[in-house]
Amino acid sequence: MSAQTSSAPARTAAAGPVITAAGPTPDKRPPTARRILGRSVWTLAVVLISVTTVMPLVWTLSTSLKPEGEILSSYLQLLPESPTLANYVTLFTDGPFGRYLTNSAIIALGGVATNLFFGGLAGYALAKLSFRGRGVVFSLFLGSMMVPGIITMVPTFLVLRRFPLVGGNDLFGEGGAGFINSYGAVLIPFAAGPFAVFFMRQFFQALPDELGDAARIDGASEFRIFWNIYLPLARAGLAVLGVLTFQAGWNSFLWPLIALNDPEMLTVQVGLAGYVNEYQTEYGPLLAGTILASLPVLVVFIFAQRYIIENFAHSGTK
Amino acid sequence: MSAAVSATRRQQTISAWIFLAVPVVLFAIFLLLPVIMAIGLSLTDYAVIGEFEWVGLANYARIVDDPIFWVAVRNTALYTVLYVPAGLVVALGTALLLNRSSRVSRVFRTLFYIPVVSSTVATAAIWFWLLNPQYGLLNAVLGWFGINGPAWLYESRWAMIAIVMMSVWAGFGANMIIYLGALQGVPGELVDAARVDGAGAFRVFWHVTLPAISRATFLILTLLLIAAFQVFDQAYVLTKGGPGNSTLTLVYYIYDRGFGRLEMGYASALSFVLFLVILVFSVANARATGRERDR
C-alpha cells in the first residue's frame, strides 16, 4: 500500500477506507488462509443480504403467476407448476384496475412535466439572475422543505375543496367539491415543489455565467437564454429530477387517499391498499396487483439506477 | 454604461419574478396559507358540517386528557425506539460491507437498493404475504431453525415489531447510499497512520472512521427520526391500527380524527403538536450541522 502512495495518492485515498471493512483489499499479496476466509465471509454476507432484499419480490412474482389452487398448497415452491396469468386477468375484469393504472400514470407523468418546467425556470432564476429578494425566496423554499406534510394536510384539503369557481363552487367556494376528486387535487399542490426548485438551482449554479452574458449582449431574451442555452446543458439534472418525481408521484399514498375517493379516481397505490383487506385470503390478485404497481418504478430505476444512486450520494454529503 | 447595467438589472428582476411566479404562488396557497389555517383551525371545533365556534385552547386541553392520543404516542415512540437504531445500524453495516471500488460491490449496491424503489403499499402487500402465519416465507424460514413463528400482524405484541422489520427492509438502502458517499471522504492517510500505530480493525473503525462520518450519521439520524414520527402507510395498509390499537400511530390517529370522523379542528391541534415536536428535531439538526460547518 505504501508503495502506491507516492505514485497515485488519489487512488490510495479512494481505496483507503476499504481496510476498515473486514475482507480482502484489492492488492497482489499472496492469498493466505485468513484472506480467503475473509473473502468467503464477505461473499456470504452480501449474498445473504441480497437474498433478503430481492427474494420477497421474486416470491411475489412467482406467487402471482400460480393458479388459485397452487398458491397455498405449494406455497414454498419457487417456480409455478402451471404458470398462468389468470390473477392478472382477474384484476382487470373484476375491478377497475386498468383505471387505477391510468390515474396513477396521469398523476405521475403530469407531476414530472410541471416540476421539470417550473422547477427548472425557478431554479434558473435563483441561480443565474440577480434581483433583490433572491436570498429571501431561496430561504423560504429551503425552509419549506422542513415543514412536514402532516401540518398542512387538513387545511390543504379545505383549500382545494373550497377553491372558488371550480368543481361547482361559486365565488365564495360554496356549493361544490372544488378540486377534490379531480386530478387537480393531486397535481396542483405539488406542481412545482420546493425540492424541484432547489435541485435545479444547485444544478444551474454549477454552469458558467459567461454563456448567458454573451447571449445577453447579442440581445437574447431571458427566456430564450434559459430555454436555448442553459436548459439543454441541464439535461442530466432534469433526467434525475424526472425519475425522482415520477417515483414520488407514482408511489405517493396518503394524499391521494385523502383527495381522491371516487372509485373511478383511485390511484393504483390506494386501490391496491384496498385489496389487502378485501382479498384477505385471495393472495393471487393481490400479489399480481403488487407486481403491476411496482413494475413502472422498477423499470425506470433499472434504466436510471447509476445516475440516481450517484446523485443521491452527492446530495447526502454536500 | 451604468444606464445599460441598470436596464439589464431591471430586465432580470422582471424576468426572475415571472420565472418564479408559479412556485411562489403555489407556496403561498398550499404551504403558507395552510400553516396559518392549521393554527386557526386548531382553535375551533370545525367539523365540515354545520356551524363552528372558537374554542380557544380547548382542543389542546382535550389532547392532554385523550387516552387514545397517549396510546398513539406510546406506539409511535415504540416504533421510533426500534426503527431508528435498527435503520442506522443496518445502513452503516451494509455501507461498510460495500465500501470498496469493484464492479461486484456496485452490483450488490443495486440489489440492496431495490426495496427502496417500491412503494410502501407494494412493500406492505409483499410483507402481508411474507408474514402470513401459516403460508408466509418468514415463518417457513424460522421453522427450518426449529422456531415456531408468531402470528405477527394478528398479535398485538408482534404487530409493531413486524412493521418495524418491514420498514427497515424497505428503507435502509437509501441511507446506505448516504453512508457510502461519506465513507468515500474518510481520509486514507488517517486510516493508514492508525494501522501503522498498530490499531486493529475495530479500533480504526471506532476512532477514525466513525468520527469522520459523524455528519452523515447525524443527517441519517434526523431523517430516520422525522420519518418515524410520521409513520402511517404501513400501519394503515397492514393492520388498520390494530390489533387492539397496538399499531395506531400519531399520523394514523390524526388521519382518523380529521378524515374519518371529520373532527378537523381537533385533528389540526393534534397535527400542530406533532409539527412542533418535528420542528425541535429539525432545528437541532440545522444548528448542529451549522456548527460543524463553522468548525
Side-chain angles (χ1 to χ4, degrees), chain A residues 4-57:
Chain A
Q4 283 181 358
T5 314
S6 55
S7 60
R11 221 191 98 78
T12 315
V18 169
I19 294 168
T20 58
T25 45
D27 63 9
K28 294 170 190 72
R29 275 180 294 173
T32 62
R34 201 189 142 91
R35 285 164 46 72
I36 291 170
L37 181 71
R39 186 181 290 253
S40 318
V41 169
W42 183 84
T43 311
L44 187 70
V46 291
V47 168
L48 267 180
I49 296 169
S50 307
V51 168
T52 325
T53 53
V54 178
M55 200 54 202
L57 286 170

Coordinates of all heavy atoms in Angstrom, one line a residue, chain A residues 4-57:
Chain A
Q4 N 2.3 2.4 -3.3 CA 1.3 3.1 -4.2 C 1.2 4.6 -3.9 O 0.9 5.4 -4.7 CB -0.1 2.5 -4.1 CG -0.1 1.1 -4.8 CD -1.5 0.5 -4.7 OE1 -2.4 1.1 -4.1 NE2 -1.8 -0.6 -5.3
T5 N 1.4 4.9 -2.6 CA 1.0 6.3 -2.1 C 1.8 7.3 -2.9 O 1.2 8.3 -3.3 CB 1.4 6.4 -0.6 OG1 0.9 5.2 0.0 CG2 0.8 7.6 -0.1
S6 N 3.0 7.1 -3.2 CA 3.8 8.1 -3.9 C 3.3 8.3 -5.4 O 3.3 9.4 -5.9 CB 5.3 7.8 -3.9 OG 5.5 6.5 -4.4
S7 N 3.0 7.2 -6.0 CA 2.7 7.3 -7.5 C 1.2 7.7 -7.7 O 0.9 8.5 -8.6 CB 2.9 5.9 -8.1 OG 2.1 5.0 -7.5
A8 N 0.3 7.2 -6.9 CA -1.1 7.6 -7.1 C -1.8 7.9 -5.8 O -2.6 7.0 -5.3 CB -1.8 6.4 -7.8
P9 N -1.6 9.0 -5.2 CA -2.2 9.3 -4.0 C -3.8 9.3 -4.0 O -4.4 8.9 -3.1 CB -1.7 10.7 -3.6 CG -1.2 11.3 -4.9 CD -0.8 10.1 -5.7
A10 N -4.3 9.8 -5.2 CA -5.8 9.8 -5.3 C -6.4 8.4 -5.2 O -7.4 8.2 -4.5 CB -6.2 10.5 -6.6
R11 N -5.8 7.5 -5.8 CA -6.3 6.2 -5.8 C -6.2 5.6 -4.4 O -7.2 4.9 -4.0 CB -5.5 5.3 -6.8 CG -6.3 4.3 -7.6 CD -5.4 3.3 -8.3 NE -5.3 2.1 -7.6 CZ -6.3 1.2 -7.6 NH1 -7.4 1.4 -8.3 NH2 -6.2 0.1 -6.9
T12 N -5.1 5.8 -3.7 CA -5.0 5.3 -2.4 C -6.1 5.8 -1.5 O -6.6 5.1 -0.7 CB -3.6 5.7 -1.8 OG1 -2.6 5.4 -2.8 CG2 -3.3 4.8 -0.6
A13 N -6.4 7.1 -1.7 CA -7.4 7.8 -0.8 C -8.7 7.1 -1.0 O -9.5 6.9 -0.1 CB -7.5 9.3 -1.1
A14 N -9.0 6.8 -2.3 CA -10.3 6.1 -2.6 C -10.3 4.7 -2.1 O -11.3 4.2 -1.6 CB -10.5 6.1 -4.1
A15 N -9.2 4.0 -2.1 CA -9.1 2.6 -1.7 C -8.9 2.5 -0.2 O -9.2 1.5 0.4 CB -8.0 1.9 -2.4
G16 N -8.5 3.6 0.4 CA -8.2 3.6 1.8 C -9.2 3.0 2.8 O -8.9 2.0 3.5
P17 N -10.5 3.5 2.7 CA -11.4 3.0 3.7 C -11.7 1.5 3.6 O -12.3 1.0 4.5 CB -12.7 3.8 3.4 CG -12.2 5.0 2.5 CD -11.0 4.5 1.9
V18 N -11.3 0.9 2.5 CA -11.6 -0.5 2.3 C -11.0 -1.3 3.5 O -11.6 -2.3 3.9 CB -11.0 -1.0 1.0 CG1 -11.0 -2.5 0.9 CG2 -11.7 -0.3 -0.2
I19 N -9.9 -0.8 4.0 CA -9.3 -1.5 5.1 C -10.2 -1.7 6.3 O -10.2 -2.7 6.9 CB -8.0 -0.8 5.5 CG1 -7.0 -0.8 4.3 CG2 -7.4 -1.4 6.7 CD1 -5.8 0.2 4.5
T20 N -11.0 -0.7 6.5 CA -11.9 -0.8 7.7 C -12.9 -1.9 7.6 O -13.4 -2.4 8.6 CB -12.6 0.6 7.9 OG1 -13.4 0.8 6.7 CG2 -11.7 1.7 8.1
A21 N -13.3 -2.2 6.4 CA -14.2 -3.4 6.2 C -13.5 -4.7 6.4 O -12.4 -4.8 5.9 CB -14.9 -3.3 4.9
A22 N -14.1 -5.6 7.1 CA -13.4 -6.9 7.2 C -13.5 -7.6 5.8 O -14.5 -7.8 5.3 CB -14.2 -7.8 8.2
G23 N -12.3 -7.9 5.3 CA -12.4 -8.5 4.0 C -11.1 -8.2 3.2 O -10.2 -7.5 3.7
P24 N -11.0 -8.7 2.0 CA -9.8 -8.5 1.2 C -9.7 -7.1 0.6 O -10.7 -6.5 0.4 CB -10.0 -9.5 0.1 CG -11.5 -9.6 -0.1 CD -12.1 -9.4 1.2
T25 N -8.4 -6.7 0.4 CA -8.2 -5.4 -0.3 C -7.6 -5.8 -1.6 O -7.0 -6.8 -1.8 CB -7.1 -4.6 0.5 OG1 -6.1 -5.5 0.9 CG2 -7.7 -4.0 1.7
P26 N -7.9 -5.0 -2.6 CA -7.5 -5.4 -4.0 C -6.0 -5.2 -4.2 O -5.7 -4.3 -5.0 CB -8.4 -4.5 -4.9 CG -8.6 -3.3 -4.0 CD -8.7 -3.8 -2.6
D27 N -5.2 -5.9 -3.6 CA -3.7 -5.8 -3.9 C -3.3 -7.2 -4.3 O -4.0 -8.2 -4.4 CB -2.9 -5.2 -2.7 CG -3.0 -6.1 -1.5 OD1 -3.5 -7.2 -1.6 OD2 -2.6 -5.6 -0.4
K28 N -2.0 -7.3 -4.5 CA -1.5 -8.6 -5.1 C -0.7 -9.4 -4.1 O 0.2 -10.2 -4.5 CB -0.6 -8.2 -6.3 CG -1.5 -7.6 -7.4 CD -0.6 -7.0 -8.5 CE -1.5 -6.2 -9.5 NZ -1.9 -5.0 -8.9
R29 N -1.0 -9.3 -2.8 CA -0.3 -10.1 -1.8 C -0.8 -11.6 -2.0 O -1.9 -11.8 -2.4 CB -0.6 -9.6 -0.4 CG 0.4 -8.5 0.0 CD 0.1 -8.1 1.4 NE -1.2 -7.4 1.5 CZ -1.7 -7.1 2.7 NH1 -1.1 -7.3 3.8 NH2 -2.9 -6.5 2.7
P30 N 0.1 -12.5 -1.7 CA -0.4 -13.9 -1.9 C -1.5 -14.2 -1.0 O -1.5 -13.8 0.2 CB 0.9 -14.7 -1.6 CG 1.7 -13.8 -0.7 CD 1.5 -12.4 -1.2
P31 N -2.5 -15.0 -1.4 CA -3.6 -15.3 -0.6 C -3.3 -16.2 0.6 O -2.7 -17.2 0.4 CB -4.6 -16.0 -1.6 CG -3.7 -16.6 -2.6 CD -2.5 -15.7 -2.7
T32 N -3.6 -15.7 1.8 CA -3.4 -16.5 3.0 C -4.7 -17.1 3.4 O -5.7 -16.7 2.9 CB -2.8 -15.6 4.1 OG1 -3.9 -14.6 4.4 CG2 -1.5 -14.9 3.7
A33 N -4.6 -18.0 4.3 CA -5.9 -18.7 4.7 C -6.8 -17.6 5.3 O -8.0 -17.7 5.1 CB -5.6 -19.7 5.8
R34 N -6.2 -16.7 6.0 CA -7.0 -15.6 6.7 C -7.8 -14.8 5.6 O -8.9 -14.4 5.8 CB -6.1 -14.8 7.5 CG -6.7 -13.9 8.6 CD -5.7 -13.0 9.1 NE -6.3 -11.7 9.4 CZ -6.9 -11.4 10.6 NH1 -6.8 -12.3 11.6 NH2 -7.5 -10.3 10.8
R35 N -7.1 -14.5 4.5 CA -7.7 -13.6 3.5 C -8.7 -14.4 2.7 O -9.8 -13.8 2.3 CB -6.6 -13.1 2.5 CG -5.7 -12.0 3.2 CD -4.4 -11.7 2.4 NE -4.7 -11.7 1.0 CZ -5.3 -10.6 0.4 NH1 -5.7 -9.6 1.1 NH2 -5.4 -10.6 -0.9
I36 N -8.5 -15.7 2.5 CA -9.5 -16.5 1.8 C -10.8 -16.6 2.7 O -11.9 -16.4 2.2 CB -9.0 -17.9 1.4 CG1 -7.9 -17.7 0.4 CG2 -10.1 -18.8 1.0 CD1 -7.1 -19.0 0.1
L37 N -10.6 -16.7 4.0 CA -11.7 -16.8 4.9 C -12.4 -15.5 4.9 O -13.7 -15.5 4.8 CB -11.2 -17.1 6.3 CG -12.3 -17.2 7.3 CD1 -13.1 -18.5 7.2 CD2 -11.7 -17.2 8.8
G38 N -11.7 -14.4 4.9 CA -12.3 -13.0 4.9 C -13.1 -12.9 3.6 O -14.3 -12.4 3.7
R39 N -12.6 -13.3 2.5 CA -13.3 -13.1 1.2 C -14.6 -13.9 1.2 O -15.7 -13.5 0.8 CB -12.4 -13.5 0.1 CG -13.0 -13.2 -1.3 CD -12.1 -13.7 -2.4 NE -10.9 -12.8 -2.4 CZ -10.7 -12.0 -3.4 NH1 -11.6 -11.8 -4.4 NH2 -9.6 -11.2 -3.4
S40 N -14.5 -15.2 1.8 CA -15.7 -16.0 1.8 C -16.8 -15.5 2.7 O -18.0 -15.5 2.3 CB -15.3 -17.4 2.3 OG -14.1 -17.8 1.7
V41 N -16.4 -14.9 3.9 CA -17.3 -14.4 4.8 C -18.0 -13.2 4.1 O -19.3 -13.0 4.2 CB -16.7 -14.0 6.1 CG1 -17.6 -13.1 7.0 CG2 -16.2 -15.2 6.9
W42 N -17.2 -12.4 3.4 CA -17.8 -11.2 2.8 C -18.8 -11.6 1.7 O -19.9 -11.1 1.7 CB -16.7 -10.4 2.1 CG -17.2 -9.1 1.5 CD1 -17.3 -7.9 2.1 CD2 -17.5 -8.9 0.1 NE1 -17.8 -7.0 1.2 CE2 -17.9 -7.6 0.0 CE3 -17.5 -9.7 -1.0 CZ2 -18.3 -7.0 -1.3 CZ3 -17.9 -9.2 -2.3 CH2 -18.3 -7.9 -2.4
T43 N -18.4 -12.6 0.9 CA -19.3 -13.0 -0.2 C -20.6 -13.6 0.4 O -21.7 -13.2 0.0 CB -18.6 -14.1 -1.0 OG1 -17.4 -13.6 -1.4 CG2 -19.4 -14.4 -2.3
L44 N -20.5 -14.4 1.4 CA -21.6 -15.0 2.1 C -22.6 -13.9 2.6 O -23.8 -13.9 2.4 CB -21.2 -15.9 3.2 CG -22.3 -16.7 3.9 CD1 -22.8 -17.8 2.9 CD2 -21.8 -17.4 5.2
A45 N -22.0 -12.9 3.2 CA -22.8 -11.8 3.8 C -23.5 -11.0 2.8 O -24.7 -10.9 2.9 CB -21.9 -10.9 4.6
V46 N -22.9 -10.6 1.7 CA -23.6 -9.8 0.7 C -24.6 -10.6 -0.1 O -25.7 -10.1 -0.4 CB -22.6 -9.1 -0.3 CG1 -21.8 -8.0 0.4 CG2 -21.7 -10.0 -1.0
V47 N -24.3 -11.9 -0.3 CA -25.3 -12.7 -1.0 C -26.5 -12.9 -0.1 O -27.7 -12.8 -0.6 CB -24.7 -14.1 -1.4 CG1 -25.7 -15.1 -1.8 CG2 -23.6 -13.9 -2.5
L48 N -26.3 -13.2 1.2 CA -27.4 -13.3 2.1 C -28.3 -12.1 2.1 O -29.5 -12.2 2.1 CB -26.9 -13.7 3.5 CG -26.8 -15.1 3.9 CD1 -26.3 -15.3 5.3 CD2 -28.2 -15.8 3.7
I49 N -27.7 -10.9 2.2 CA -28.4 -9.7 2.3 C -29.2 -9.5 1.0 O -30.4 -9.1 1.0 CB -27.5 -8.5 2.6 CG1 -26.9 -8.6 4.0 CG2 -28.3 -7.2 2.5 CD1 -25.8 -7.6 4.3
S50 N -28.6 -9.8 -0.2 CA -29.2 -9.7 -1.4 C -30.5 -10.6 -1.5 O -31.5 -10.2 -2.1 CB -28.3 -10.0 -2.6 OG -27.2 -9.2 -2.5
V51 N -30.3 -11.8 -1.0 CA -31.4 -12.7 -1.0 C -32.6 -12.1 -0.2 O -33.7 -12.1 -0.6 CB -31.0 -14.1 -0.4 CG1 -32.2 -14.9 -0.1 CG2 -30.1 -14.8 -1.3
T52 N -32.2 -11.5 1.0 CA -33.3 -10.8 1.8 C -34.0 -9.7 1.1 O -35.2 -9.5 1.2 CB -32.6 -10.3 3.1 OG1 -31.6 -11.1 3.5 CG2 -33.6 -10.2 4.2
T53 N -33.2 -8.9 0.3 CA -33.8 -7.8 -0.4 C -34.6 -8.1 -1.7 O -35.6 -7.5 -2.0 CB -32.8 -6.7 -0.7 OG1 -31.7 -7.2 -1.5 CG2 -32.2 -6.0 0.6
V54 N -34.1 -9.1 -2.4 CA -34.6 -9.5 -3.7 C -35.7 -10.6 -3.6 O -36.7 -10.6 -4.3 CB -33.5 -9.8 -4.7 CG1 -34.1 -10.1 -6.0 CG2 -32.6 -8.6 -4.8
M55 N -35.4 -11.6 -2.7 CA -36.2 -12.8 -2.7 C -37.7 -12.5 -2.5 O -38.6 -13.0 -3.2 CB -35.7 -13.7 -1.6 CG -36.1 -15.1 -1.7 SD -35.7 -15.7 -3.3 CE -36.8 -17.1 -3.4
P56 N -38.1 -11.5 -1.6 CA -39.5 -11.3 -1.4 C -40.2 -10.8 -2.7 O -41.3 -11.2 -3.0 CB -39.6 -10.1 -0.4 CG -38.3 -10.4 0.4 CD -37.3 -10.8 -0.5
L57 N -39.5 -10.1 -3.5 CA -40.1 -9.6 -4.8 C -40.2 -10.8 -5.8 O -41.2 -11.0 -6.4 CB -39.2 -8.5 -5.4 CG -39.2 -7.2 -4.8 CD1 -38.2 -6.3 -5.4 CD2 -40.6 -6.5 -5.0

